[in-house]
Amino acid sequence: MLIGREKEKKTLLEAVENEYSQFIAVYGRRRVGKTFLIRETFNYKFDFQFTGAAHTSAKRQLARFRLALKEQGLKDVASSITNWMDAFAELKRFINQLPEGKKLIFFDELPWMDAPRSGFLSELESFWNGWASARKDIVFIVCGSSTSWMVKKIIKNKGGLHNRLSHRIALKPFSLCLCEQMMQSRNIEMSRKQLLEAYMIFGGVPYYWSLLKPGASLPQEIDRMIFKEDGDMYDEFSMLYASLFNNPEPYMKVISLLANRKMGMTRKELVDKGKFHNNGRFSEILKDLEWCGFIRSYSVPGKIVKDEIYQLIDNYTLFYYSFIHGVHQSKNYWQAMQGKPKYNTWCGLAFERVCLWHIDQIKTKLGISGILTQEFSWRYGGNTDEGIPGAQIDLLISRSDGITDLCEMKYSLEPFAITANYERELATKKSVFSRITKTKNAVHVVMVSTQGVARNKYYGAIQNEVCLDDLFAF
């Protein structure tokens, strides 16, 4: 069953009804459900479909393409296809043999088809620009998990495919709401606390959620899926980056550096710490990781130096570096970790990342969904000479209506109780932020917590609150 994706499905179906030929690119990180969306939308019925194979030579890829044409009905297919010019010529001949009406052509894992020196991309451009776009009966859908390739070669192509796309569909991970719907559709009973913990591990990647089975507790399932050698996700981390990047080592090096810095690092810090060359190639690495949804970049308003900060936001990668990388896992490891100090520390950090993925839901609860905002983290090291203490704020929402929301995220099993000390800490953060940034906005403190905020005498230290249930809003 296809959960959510109504807007994306509508775009795909409307393409079939359009008067003219349509060229659609669907892209997003590995395991996010791109192929599933396309197949389910069209009930697995295509006039022609082909899936590229990873780490395969152009010769073998073309042999597979020829076989696909033959199996799907091309009469008198060429005895051999040695280049992509001939391959697309055979595809045109195949399409011309089809009955009248829209022809649905689907190329999956497009980046894998672009072997070095194969000439694939130029022939793809020729196929669309010189032939398919001149007709009215082609719906051409391309898809790929290598988001950076899809963006650079198709979405932002500066050559023959520049501005040629009819639609681009950037498929995002599921929200908590959609993950809940997915579990309900599969008759897996989970409380919202359990759904939150699963999200802190899997993020909103539908494939990971699809591996959960009914009848066992979540800790048991995590042990089975991730920590057992025959588990479905035992080697997922190495496969994840290797499948997206031809040379994954520098990407994983950036990720490993960011995994240890909660609020992120500047480009200069990454270059210095990782001993990278500060050049265009390093810019590509950062942009590729951002396009794939592993990191985000943000700037701090009011800073004299507009140096962007890069922050790791992929939940599964954070989980990997917290509990898998360099750690010896014993039998039933995750079950044994429940409630341990390391587990509790991770819960706090992971919950903050979940909040970053649900800023739209936070804005909705605050009644500012229609207001232009900028979201960022902020830190100040302090100045002993001037008597200004250091301060760290995990999420600030700077609003165009003259207010900045200082968001504190707290993971707890009970309603969070503000103490006298914590009230003073909040006041200090507000004061330091206002003084250092010289913001003219009013600063409101917002508490985002799992179980709400206790109504004690210090509750007035906050102006608003968001609880776990609010993050489940659609």
Side-chain angles (χ1 to χ4, degrees):
M1 180 185 296
L2 186 61
I3 303 295
R5 311 303 197 196
E6 295 301 325
K7 179 181 177 182
E8 295 84 355
K9 183 178 178 179
K10 184 173 182 286
T11 298
L12 291 170
L13 291 176
E14 286 179 347
V16 178
E17 303 300 324
N18 196 285
E19 179 183 358
Y20 299 97
S21 289
Q22 301 285 290
F23 184 10
I24 304 171
V26 182
Y27 60 106
R29 63 157 288 167
R30 171 180 160 90
R31 310 293 205 186
V32 81
K34 301 177 296 298
T35 302
F36 185 73
L37 163 69
I38 297 165
R39 288 175 174 172
E40 284 286 312
T41 298
F42 296 110
N43 198 25
Y44 293 75
K45 295 177 181 177
F46 303 94
D47 293 286
F48 179 76
Q49 59 179 316
F50 179 72
T51 302
H55 312 301
T56 299
S57 67
K59 180 179 179 181
R60 188 168 181 82
Q61 203 85 258
L62 287 162
R64 294 179 61 256
F65 192 84
R66 176 190 174 277
L67 183 60
L69 286 166
K70 182 178 180 180
E71 290 176 342
Q72 295 176 55
L74 178 59
K75 300 175 183 177
D76 303 321
V77 63
S79 57
S80 67
I81 297 177
T82 59
N83 57 67
W84 281 109
M85 180 187 294
D86 293 341
F88 279 105
E90 289 292 273
L91 177 60
K92 294 174 192 176
R93 195 161 65 85
F94 173 79
I95 292 172
N96 283 330
Q97 292 180 4
L98 295 172
E100 287 188 8
K102 279 292 196 304
K103 284 79 172 173
L104 195 56
I105 313 299
F106 175 33
F107 281 9
D108 198 6
E109 294 300 355
L110 191 73
W112 290 347
M113 300 166 67
D114 187 29
R117 297 179 298 280
S118 67
F120 169 75
L121 195 59
S122 61
E123 293 305 326
L124 175 70
E125 294 173 356
S126 177
F127 167 75
W128 177 255
N129 293 338
W131 191 79
S133 65
R135 302 167 60 113
K136 292 188 173 184
D137 59 351
I138 305 293
V139 176
F140 185 35
I141 303 172
V142 298
C143 173
S145 292
S146 180
T147 309
S148 59
W149 188 97
M150 291 291 292
V151 171
K152 287 185 284 190
K153 304 292 187 179
I154 303 296
I155 310 300
K156 295 187 177 182
N157 184 287
K158 296 180 180 178
L161 291 178
H162 180 66
N163 285 336
R164 294 292 186 169
L165 285 176
S166 309
H167 300 283
R168 61 184 73 178
I169 299 176
L171 206 60
K172 303 295 185 183
F174 275 179
S175 64
L176 278 165
C177 174
L178 292 177
C179 290
E180 183 177 46
Q181 290 181 28
M182 183 177 181
M183 293 299 96
Q184 291 171 347
S185 74
R186 302 182 69 239
N187 295 316
I188 297 178
E189 292 289 334
M190 297 177 72
S191 68
R192 285 193 162 175
K193 176 184 175 296
Q194 292 166 332
L195 288 163
L196 171 63
E197 180 165 333
Y199 201 97
M200 292 192 302
I201 298 170
F202 301 140
V205 181
Y207 175 76
Y208 298 160
W209 288 80
S210 74
L211 299 174
L212 290 169
K213 297 179 181 179
S217 70
L218 180 61
Q220 288 175 322
E221 283 293 272
I222 299 305
D223 276 327
R224 177 188 67 81
M225 293 164 53
I226 296 177
F227 294 108
K228 287 188 177 180
E229 290 189 9
D230 59 349
D232 298 299
M233 294 181 63
Y234 183 76
D235 56 356
E236 173 64 15
F237 183 79
S238 58
M239 293 173 60
L240 177 61
Y241 288 88
S243 68
L244 295 176
F245 309 113
N246 291 329
N247 179 26
E249 286 75 17
Y251 295 90
M252 296 173 73
K253 189 175 183 180
V254 170
I255 290 295
S256 67
L257 290 171
L258 293 178
N260 297 314
R261 295 289 292 271
K262 173 183 173 181
M263 299 187 70
M265 301 172 69
T266 64
R267 179 191 178 103
K268 184 179 186 306
E269 289 172 335
L270 284 167
V271 168
D272 293 345
K273 192 74 174 177
K275 295 181 171 54
F276 292 102
H277 294 294
N278 194 6
N279 53 20
R281 173 58 186 148
F282 187 62
S283 298
E284 285 187 8
I285 291 172
L286 294 176
K287 187 55 68 176
D288 288 349
L289 287 170
E290 192 168 0
W291 278 331
C292 290
F294 294 120
I295 68 175
R296 72 163 185 151
S297 64
Y298 65 91
S299 299
V300 178
K303 286 191 67 173
I304 297 175
V305 180
K306 300 292 185 179
D307 197 357
E308 283 192 315
I309 298 172
Y310 297 89
Q311 184 180 38
L312 178 61
I313 59 170
D314 181 65
N315 300 67
Y316 171 72
T317 300
L318 283 163
F319 180 79
Y320 172 85
Y321 278 103
S322 297
F323 295 104
I324 303 174
H325 179 68
V327 177
H328 175 71
Q329 296 89 27
S330 57
K331 185 178 180 181
N332 300 327
Y333 173 77
W334 191 242
Q335 296 171 68
M337 285 299 300
Q338 303 295 295
K340 296 287 181 64
K342 183 177 180 180
Y343 170 86
N344 293 333
T345 299
W346 166 79
C347 283
L349 175 60
F351 179 63
E352 292 172 10
R353 292 301 190 269
V354 173
C355 293
L356 291 178
W357 281 104
H358 290 78
I359 288 176
D360 286 346
Q361 285 78 7
I362 293 173
K363 289 176 61 176
T364 296
K365 175 58 190 302
L366 297 177
I368 58 171
S369 56
I371 295 176
L372 183 66
T373 64
Q374 182 179 358
E375 300 83 32
F376 57 98
S377 301
W378 185 83
R379 63 188 176 200
Y380 176 69
N383 188 320
T384 53
D385 293 336
E386 297 184 17
I388 306 175
Q392 177 174 302
I393 302 171
D394 298 317
L395 175 62
L396 285 154
I397 303 177
S398 180
R399 300 158 39 174
S400 60
D401 61 353
I403 294 173
T404 295
D405 289 314
L406 188 162
C407 299
E408 288 280 291
M409 285 85 84
K410 295 296 180 182
Y411 180 95
S412 61
L413 301 179
E414 303 292 337
F416 182 78
I418 300 174
T419 63
N421 286 339
Y422 189 60
E423 182 188 41
R424 286 192 291 271
E425 182 182 333
L426 291 175
T428 298
K429 286 187 178 185
K430 285 180 60 175
S431 174
V432 173
F433 173 73
S434 298
R435 180 174 178 180
I436 298 304
T437 62
K438 296 180 174 57
T439 180
K440 295 181 181 179
N441 282 7
V443 180
H444 290 182
V445 177
V446 176
M447 188 67 66
V448 185
S449 62
T450 48
Q451 301 297 325
V453 182
R455 297 298 204 275
N456 62 16
K457 65 179 182 178
Y458 301 110
Y459 182 79
I462 65 173
Q463 280 68 54
N464 215 327
E465 65 170 303
V466 178
C467 66
L468 178 58
D469 285 344
D470 297 318
L471 299 184
F472 278 83
F474 185 71

